[in-house]
Amino acid sequence: MKNYLWVFWTILSICFVQAQEKLSYQKPSEEILELVNAPLAPSVLITDDGKYMVLLYRDYYKTIAELSETELRLAGLRINPKTNIGSRTNYYNNIIVKEVGNNEGTQVQGLSENPRLANFNWSPDQSKIAFTNTTSNGVEVMVLDLKSAKATAITETNVNANMRDIINWFKDGESVLVKMLPDDRKPLINTNEAVPEGPTISTNDGKKAQNRTYQDLLKNPNDEFNFEQLARSELYKVQMDGTKTKWKDADLYTSISFSPDGEYVMTVTLDKPFSYLVPYYRFPNTTTVYKKDGSKVKTLLEVPLIEDLPKGFMAERTGMRDISWRNDKPATIIYVEALDGGDPENEVDYRDEVFQLEAPFDGKGESILKTKNRFSYIQWGNDDLAIAHDRWWNDRNTKTYLFDPSNPSAGAKIIEDRNYQDVYSDPGNFVTKRNENGSWVLSLDKNNNAYLIGDGYTEEGQFPFVDKINLENLKKTRLYTSKLEDKLENLIEYDPKKDQLLVRIESANEYPNYYYKSLIKRRGPVQLTNFENPYKSIQNVHKEVITYKRDDGLELSGTLYLPVGYDMEKKEKMPMILWAYPREYKDKNSASQNTSNPNEFTYPYWGSPIYWVTKGYVVLDDAAFPIIGEGDEQPNDTFRSQLVANAKAAIDAVDELGYVDTERVAVGGHSYGAFMVANLLSHSDLFAAGIARSGAYNRTLTPFGFQSEERNYWEAPEVYYTMSPFMHSEKMKTPLLLIHGEADNNSGTYPMQSERYFNALKGLGATVRLVMLPKESHGYRAKESILHLLWEQDQWLDKYVKQKK
């Protein structure tokens, strides 16, 4: 370990002087710019009765001016303190209501000139939708009446949208429970100007608190004060005409939920002390149940600060947790308790126990289920039938249980026991529907048959399906298999009572559109939307999924795109971009499975390499990069060698097809993909250049685990050292473009990771360029940033790959 630390501090001591380049935002070439500027199709909401569609329109990008608005980063949140809503909120800017079957929609009236709409929430009968509109002064609640297509503001711009559950409907559908700014809110402290009253001190009483490197944490008493002011809300009952009545005094409300029958409200409020080590959702909190008139029924749970969980992804705190409403009952709560002390290292027959407790919530709950793995969730059917799911990360196992909640002594039957990474064996997801209380429950027919919708991945390709399953004998009947030869049919939801299947059909050059289909009566599809392909310039690009083998025989795959206008008979060798993201597996069978579909629509989103098919490049996108560790071996024990083997197999496969000049191949990736890129360039000579965006390069800066690594640095120093490109900076001989958002909020990928890696590479004479994007988080949002990102990548590829001699 001494050698590792010596190298670490030696590299850190390298002079960090770097040449700066003054450069304004640039734009890429016209071929790429045309694709970026293509209009975005709307999001689609459909009422359960199939009568109305609501089309929500938005701009794909924000502006750098929007990202430059005031932002406070506190306890894991990013907040605009002027408007009191998340500073990174995605907004819609227009709504159209359309009756299903009509070609023309109706423009919603009542929206402001430049609306910023979010937090959409259906009324119980789905005749209305409540949502927030953010103005320059704050947030207001608006309600859209579908029949009239008119939206009306029912509050002033004093809504507190800084935390979740901003709007909740009362059962009558004539009023909503809204978080509002409290009258006694105090002015925030300007932390840049405030004079400190003393040092910031953290202590530990000897307990282990092995937490990952969370971003945006509280740092001092001023942060604590500001967080408290921004999180506090008063709850008001607001009627459709805007009349409001205070429902509950100010507190730090996080979660708010009505019981299915609407008679009770469960709230979760934060308590002190706050923490400088973990985000707000691990602060002390209290769960309380009230009647719908606001009178208190009972305090269900008081949770202390959670800074010291046992080690491991499956660790949990002890005591009551995961409290929720039972969806098929009027007012029954469900909660879970760990049977292993919350410690994955403890060997027990059952990990968790599930309890139910009916209103008025007195005494201890009734045990209804024990799960062998960590409890995940329950899908409720009726008094006698429910489906439960659990999960265990360490061996990638999941189990599905069929049980009778009214007769727990009968025991649960395990109906699925599988590796959740084994997609070929995935039985699909149970179909659900809204019941009379508007809660989602299993869709059961009169004979208690349930239904499953699956993605249908197989060795021969993808064939989405609908199954009917008899829950008495577990016999399955295949009702439908999608076998469209040149299209992909995504199955969204099925209503067995109406025999109506909602699907979304697309192809490589046809934009996804929605249809209704009949499975029993076999009626022809009814088209619901008619969105056109906005990316005409690449709609005829050749696209295929190729399969190939790694040197150890493992089968891999990737989606191959040939350049615009490429002559497949001539087979000219072109430069190539390989884009990938490593994924960890515990068995080779799952790692070799193919989930790519050549009929999936080609969508050039901001981070995609697809743009470069317009510039003469072959692109191998989503190339499989499995990292496998079977049995007692962990995937990361052989991370580097498996990375190189994956990359070599991919390049060789395209070379055998005759499409690529192997001397002109670039590799790119984002986040963990960037980590992959730096390792590949340091430990192989396969590539002419690399692009690494928003990555982490020194694993000693994430000492308590990263990605799927549970071991801490002191348990596996060799792994941390070997996997860190920073520790091997002297081996970098390939041009590397580093890009990072200055405001990265992802755990582990602090901007410092790219800055220090660049300084090390520069000090050792590598060819490297670092681009820090102002105001950007882990994913980039401003159009100015995206255009400049594409320009940087294009310039780098042109200089070091396309023009390479």
Side-chain angles (χ1 to χ4, degrees), residues 4 32 65 78 97 204 237 265 280 330 343 354 550 581 662:
Y4 306 143
I32 294 176
R78 294 191 169 187
V97 176
N204 187 51
K237 181 178 181 179
V265 181
Y280 78 92
D343 189 345
V354 184
R550 204 164 73 174
Y581 189 95
T662 57

Side-chain angles (χ1 to χ4, degrees), residues 397-464:
N397 180 257
T398 182
K399 293 180 174 62
T400 303
Y401 303 80
L402 174 64
F403 71 103
D404 181 350
S406 65
N407 184 20
S409 61
K413 179 187 296 184
I414 296 177
I415 60 175
E416 293 288 347
D417 186 351
R418 52 183 293 272
N419 182 332
Y420 59 75
Q421 289 185 318
D422 180 4
V423 295
Y424 290 175
S425 70
D426 191 340
N429 298 314
F430 282 93
V431 175
T432 58
K433 66 176 183 180
R434 292 183 197 267
N435 63 11
E436 63 277 5
N437 285 322
S439 300
W440 290 100
V441 296
L442 289 170
S443 184
L444 303 171
D445 62 23
K446 61 183 179 180
N447 297 316
N448 274 350
N449 292 310
Y451 296 82
L452 294 156
I453 292 180
D455 291 327
Y457 292 112
T458 72
E459 293 182 1
E460 291 76 33
Q462 184 180 3
F463 306 98

Side-chain angles (χ1 to χ4, degrees), residues 24 77 118 219 270 305:
S24 60
L77 295 173
K219 298 180 179 64
L270 299 180
L305 176 64

